[in-house]
Amino acid sequence: MWEEREDTPQRLAGMVENVTFQNEENGFTVLTLADEVGELVTVVGILAGSAPGESLVLTGQYVEHAAYGRQFEAETCTYLMPEDAGAIAKYLGSGVLPGIGPSTAGRIVERFGDAALEVLASTPERYAEVRGMSIEKALKAGRRFMEVFGIREAVASLSRLGLSAAEAILAYRHYGRQTVELIEQNPYRLCGYPSYLAFARVDAMAEHLALPRDNRHRVRAALLYTLRHNLGNGHTCLPVEKLLGTACGFFGIDEAAAQFELAACCELGDAQQVHYGGEDYVYLPEPFRAEMTAALRIRAMAAMPPAAPAQVDALIAQREAMLNIHYAPLQKQAIAEALSHGVMVITGGPGTGKTTAVNAIIALYEQQAERVLLAAPTGRAAKRMAELTGRKAATIHRLLEVDFSRGDEFPRFKRNEKNPLRCDVLIVDEMSMVDAMLFEALLAALRPGCRLVMVGDADQLPSVGAGNVLRGIIESGVVPTVALTEIFRQAAASLIVKNAHHIVAGELPEKGGKADDFFFMRAVGSACQQLVCSLVAERLPNSYGFSPVEDIQVLCPGRKGPLGTEAMNARLQQLLNPPGPDKPEIRRFEACYRLGDKVMQVRNNYDLPWTREDGEPGAGAFNGEIGTITQVNPAAGTLTVRCEDRHLAYTAENLHELELAYAVTIHKSQGSEFEAVVIPLSEVPGKLQYRNLLYTGVTRAKRLCILPGEERILETMVRAGRKNRRYSCFAHFLTDEELL
């Protein structure tokens, strides 16, 4: 969509005539500039606080956009504040300052003349001398004026360290007027919240500032950076030995200095150390608090169960008679345990009757006039839960009412100890997907006496977020757990279900055929890639009537290689949504976002704004959510994604959080079901050849599962029964008597 750039930056100077668009958070702006000969030029770039009446000196490039014509894409900017009365009046009256419109701006200039901006900067309360301005309005305008200049100073100063304008603005929003001073003293602040810059980038900044590589800020940051990185890998903590070894080896840190700074981190509360099983573990504060608090709450719920309804067995028998059915013995046990305990777990694979048991639990509790709420970790999982139970189900985040107003590092919820959920029973499905911090927030919102029923498949992959909550609870033995194992006759007719149980038992699946809902197709390397593309784009839509975008999902074991998500998405995008004159697109580095593309959010962003189809506003997008691009504005670098019933608004600065989703990793598919699933099993990296990865992928399929690939890889994955190792002390916290 853009013409080739010239290598040499170009200069553009002029006065801002009007501002078409400006993102307050990241400074991205679209404006019209009257250049030195009076020609109007459209300018796009990070131009924080720009307003009519200001003079700008820009460097950048002229580009020709297919839809929006000739534009100047600014890379650097020097601001020249308006000096004469007319320009000052235009600036003040532009709306850039709260409480000042054109008429008030005229009176301000009439009163203070060319000195109007100097007065605003030094003694803003004097604006109250002007009709229409109160002291409160004057001070508010002054604060905003100084904030704009503070942001610009931060952008100019920090650009010398290699920070982009948007990164500088983000830092200023967090640190305020001391931003430059604080970062120059310790640039390693930028490795943490809210910037999360790569350690190598910050190292380069520190070198520019002539800071020694062995300074304590660097050593401490390396330790915390290692913990944060591994939090993203699912570990809520790390063994001390592993933490020190990784940080020292990767960042070139002296081990003695690392040990000293680790002790300092723990003393200052930046980290927490735990000893159990003869080994020391280190946590960041938030995951430590989450696992410890959740463990104490679960122990309390297990120790003090609410009163059970009288004659539980009779109630179950009564329901059997009413529905003319017979529950299996393990189903009866699960129902009885749920009615008799304050907290319990129901686990089992596909076709083992979890939904039947849950429906009975709901009905019997409602029969006792108990208020029951249903929740699941993702929108897709909640929707499926609602369909299977015939009752409303919400995502956990929506149930807890995420509160984004504070701008914290981790989400906060309006539902908590002070404002608990109004229910007597909470049933949570897909518990294997619930991470440690979300689980702690969920428990905090349960009033004393509220029962909790957790439902999930312990053989699934653990949560995308840190922790292994469901497995920790089951292994601890502190919570009654019923594992459903019997495959019911109707489910047994599905080869998907039968083969899922074969796989989890370490047995090779039946290869099936065209008449089955599961089959293996032999293909290797490039031939496998071509087969996957043919299945998605032609063969399955033609044979089964599946929509290639809405119904079919390619699930790859990994990201890299010719059969990883990166290569498959490029191929499938070209096949399923090729470029066209009616399809605007945005390119960012190697990524192309096109109208109609299937995309996935790949990290939690608690500030991303959205609007529901009924007009309800909100914020927050979560790792693994899939949607479709419905609007694209290349000039502004913005787009809209429809995800379930929400329309999420993306800017140029958070587009990197989106990836194409024609193919996604099996890890990212957790909690979702798709009509048809295609899992390529050729050229799979050795570290990804294990059983529960394959099992999770197969169980995502509702009507059809196809495995194109190599028999040897299929066999290796089935035989490799190792579990995902995650460092966590949650099971220890659940059983440690000293914590009582």
Side-chain angles (χ1 to χ4, degrees), residues 246-557:
T246 301
C248 293
F250 197 80
F251 300 110
I253 295 169
D254 177 74
E255 185 169 348
Q259 289 176 335
F260 180 85
E261 292 301 335
L262 177 58
C265 283
C266 293
E267 186 174 341
L268 293 169
D270 294 329
Q272 180 74 41
Q273 196 159 313
V274 175
H275 181 84
Y276 93 94
E279 195 163 9
D280 292 313
Y281 297 84
V282 182
Y283 279 85
L284 290 170
E286 281 292 327
F288 171 76
R289 182 190 61 80
E291 289 200 338
M292 175 66 79
T293 306
L296 292 174
R297 291 183 184 276
I298 287 292
R299 288 167 61 162
M301 293 172 72
M304 296 184 293
Q311 301 178 326
V312 170
D313 291 342
L315 290 173
I316 296 172
Q318 191 180 65
R319 180 166 175 81
E320 287 180 312
M322 183 179 69
L323 299 178
N324 193 27
I325 62 171
H326 292 284
Y327 296 117
L330 285 173
Q331 287 180 313
K332 287 184 180 180
Q333 183 185 344
I335 298 166
E337 295 278 12
L339 293 175
S340 306
H341 293 87
V343 57
M344 65 93 58
V345 171
I346 302 173
T347 184
T352 56
K354 294 194 299 292
T355 300
T356 300
V358 168
N359 279 329
I361 292 165
I362 295 170
L364 292 174
Y365 268 126
E366 290 178 342
Q367 189 177 314
Q368 305 296 315
E370 303 275 17
R371 296 167 295 179
V372 182
L373 290 181
L374 310 181
T378 68
R380 286 176 177 266
K383 184 178 180 181
R384 189 173 73 252
M385 192 182 191
E387 291 169 351
L388 294 173
T389 62
R391 293 165 173 83
K392 290 182 179 179
T395 65
I396 297 174
H397 285 86
R398 190 174 189 187
L399 187 73
L400 299 182
E401 300 175 30
V402 181
D403 181 8
F404 302 100
S405 61
R406 294 167 53 181
D408 293 327
E409 180 176 4
F410 299 99
R412 298 289 184 258
F413 300 93
K414 295 178 182 179
R415 294 291 183 178
N416 49 41
E417 298 94 333
K418 296 179 180 179
N419 182 29
L421 294 168
R422 296 175 183 173
C423 63
D424 304 301
V425 184
L426 176 65
I427 301 176
V428 182
D429 198 12
E430 295 286 359
M431 265 300 300
S432 63
M433 292 187 63
V434 178
D435 62 56
M437 283 178 277
L438 182 60
F439 188 56
E440 188 274 330
L442 183 69
L443 294 177
L446 301 183
R447 63 173 181 80
C450 182
R451 302 174 193 261
L452 175 64
V453 179
M454 295 173 281
V455 186
D457 186 346
D459 293 308
Q460 298 280 358
L461 291 169
S463 58
V464 175
N468 204 347
V469 171
L470 180 61
R471 184 162 296 281
I473 290 173
I474 294 172
E475 290 180 352
S476 73
V478 301
V479 170
T481 299
V482 179
L484 303 179
T485 55
E486 181 183 345
I487 305 175
F488 290 90
R489 189 186 320 170
Q490 185 176 357
S494 164
L495 200 54
I496 293 174
V497 173
K498 289 175 65 176
N499 279 339
H501 287 271
H502 283 316
I503 291 167
V504 85
E507 302 167 356
L508 287 174
E510 300 174 32
K511 292 183 179 176
K514 291 184 178 179
D516 297 306
D517 61 1
F518 178 106
F519 51 92
F520 176 85
M521 303 177 73
R522 191 177 292 103
V524 179
S526 60
C528 186
Q529 187 190 69
Q530 185 56 45
L531 176 57
V532 172
C533 291
S534 174
L535 287 166
V536 174
E538 299 172 2
R539 295 169 66 169
L540 297 184
N542 293 339
S543 298
Y544 297 89
F546 290 137
S547 162
V549 175
E550 298 292 330
D551 297 329
I552 305 171
Q553 185 62 59
V554 177
L555 299 181
C556 303

